[in-house]
Each structure stands twice: as structure tokens, then as C-alpha cells.
């Protein structure tokens, strides 16, 4: 089901998400389907979008969904950084379409997580995928890209593509 993406200013976006427990496993397929459907709807409307965090659609659980070459489901992810190398980029978000924020992110990241079957997994990320998962991971802790702006002059308006 396509869910509404919570927009900038909604207090729910600033809350810390709860871990998914084994008691939640029955809900996981529905949550993942909602994340997928919502991401596909966003892509259709705006021509963008590679990942979505559960809190963005009102599910206060530590769950990320990424669709690149294939779908990835990250349950209770834990992110770490193998070195201190960072870079600046202009970041956008489905919770504030059309607003771009200049932020600093780590160039590389490691993410430990459980898959949809609760099996432990690990992924090493570099470049744009590292940035993407850092952005989505922040949502789990109630942090938006606007809160990571390099300074108070790091905000830009951009017209989003409406049709693919």
C-alpha cells in the first residue's frame, strides 16, 4: 500500500525508532511492501528515489528499504565508519521534495543488519551508496539532512522532475 511520506516539520520525523523484535516479524512483510509501494509511487511522481526509512511513512521501527540493482531490507541496522575520510554533497529527501541541503558525509561505511529472515548480514558501502544509507540511517534516530547542514547558507530550492 502506498503510504503518505511525512513532511519536514512533522514531529514524528524527529523521534527515535524502536528495534524490531521477533514479535514484530509477522508485520515485516507488510511494512516492506508499504515501503516498496511508497518508493515506487515517489519515483513515478518525481523521477527520483532509491531508499526509504520506515519512520518516513509513520512506522517507528528500525527498518530501511533500498532498491538499486535489487531490493535490500535492513532490519535493526548498525552503521560504522572504517575511516575519517569525508566529502561534501548536496542532499535531498523525500520528506522535503525540492529542498537541497549541503551536508558532509563519510565516504565509506559498514552496515551490520538483519535481513527479512532475521539472519545477520554485513555490507560495505562507498561513495553514493555510503551517503544514501547514512541519510536513511539518520531517519531511524530522528535526524534529518536539514539538521546536518554545513551552515545556515547550505539550503537550495530545486524543481523536481514530475514525470519520468
Amino acid at each position: 500500500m502506498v503510504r503518505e511520506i511525512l513532511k519536514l516539520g512533522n514531529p514524528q520525523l524527529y523521534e527515535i525508532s524502536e528495534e524490531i523484535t521477533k514479535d514484530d516479524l509477522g508485520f515485516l512483510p507488510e511494512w516492506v511492501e508499504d515501503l516498496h509501494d511508497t518508493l515506487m509511487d515517489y519515483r513515478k511522481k518525481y523521477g527520483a528515489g532509491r531508499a526509504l526509512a520506515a519512520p518516513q511513512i509513520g512506522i517507528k521501527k528500525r527498518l530501511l528499504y533500498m532498491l538499486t540493482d535489487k531490493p535490500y531490507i535492513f532490519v535493526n541496522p548498525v552503521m560504522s565508519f572504517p575511516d575519517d575520510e569525508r566529502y561534501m554533497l548536496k542532499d535531498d529527501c523525500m520528506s522535503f521534495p525540492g529542498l537541497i541541503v549541503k551536508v558532509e558525509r563519510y565516504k565509506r561505511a559498514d552496515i551490520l543488519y538483519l535481513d527479512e529472515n532475521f539472519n545477520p548480514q554485513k555490507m560495505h558501502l562507498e561513495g553514493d551508496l555510503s551517503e544514501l544509507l547514512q541519510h536513511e540511517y539518520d531517519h531511524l534516530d530522528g535526524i534529518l539532512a536539514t539538521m546536518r547542514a554545513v551552515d545556515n547558507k547550505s539550503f537550495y530550492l530545486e524543481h523536481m522532475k514530475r514525470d519520468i
Side-chain angles (χ1 to χ4, degrees):
M1 175 174 77
V2 174
R3 295 232 199 156
E4 178 185 350
I5 297 173
L6 302 180
K7 298 295 186 264
L8 183 65
N10 186 312
Q12 292 180 59
L13 286 172
Y14 306 103
E15 296 176 9
I16 296 173
S17 298
E18 298 174 359
E19 283 203 354
I20 293 175
T21 66
K22 291 199 176 197
D23 292 339
D24 295 321
L25 284 181
F27 298 105
L28 194 57
E30 179 184 334
W31 293 338
V32 169
E33 183 177 342
D34 290 355
L35 286 163
H36 174 81
D37 292 350
T38 304
L39 180 63
M40 292 300 95
D41 183 67
Y42 188 90
R43 281 185 180 181
K44 185 178 175 183
K45 287 179 183 172
Y46 296 105
R50 296 179 294 161
L52 191 60
Q56 289 179 274
I57 60 170
I59 300 169
K60 295 178 193 166
K61 295 290 184 176
R62 298 188 78 76
L63 174 64
L64 305 176
Y65 179 77
M66 180 174 73
L67 182 59
T68 52
D69 57 328
K70 65 178 190 169
Y72 295 90
I73 298 160
F74 301 89
V75 175
N76 299 334
V78 176
M79 188 165 273
S80 62
F81 308 99
D83 59 58
D84 289 331
E85 190 175 358
R86 298 174 188 229
Y87 69 109
M88 300 278 198
L89 68 131
K90 290 181 179 173
D91 198 1
D92 60 354
C93 182
M94 293 181 201
S95 290
F96 44 84
L99 178 64
I100 308 297
V101 182
K102 186 176 178 185
V103 299
E104 184 179 58
R105 298 276 189 197
Y106 288 95
K107 226 175 187 177
R108 286 170 282 286
D110 293 316
I111 189 165
L112 299 172
Y113 63 99
L114 302 173
D115 64 19
E116 64 273 18
N117 299 310
F118 245 55
N119 295 316
Q121 304 291 330
K122 180 178 182 178
M123 187 182 292
H124 177 74
L125 307 159
E126 297 205 19
D128 66 328
L129 287 183
S130 174
E131 180 278 321
L132 176 64
L133 267 289
Q134 288 174 67
H135 173 107
E136 300 305 334
Y137 186 81
D138 273 352
H139 279 294
L140 303 179
D141 292 324
I143 299 168
L144 302 180
T146 54
M147 299 159 72
R148 294 216 183 266
V150 174
D151 58 30
N152 63 5
K153 296 176 185 166
S154 295
F155 298 89
Y156 310 88
L157 291 177
E158 179 176 275
H159 297 288
M160 296 295 290
K161 186 176 177 181
R162 296 288 176 185
D163 297 311
I164 294 179

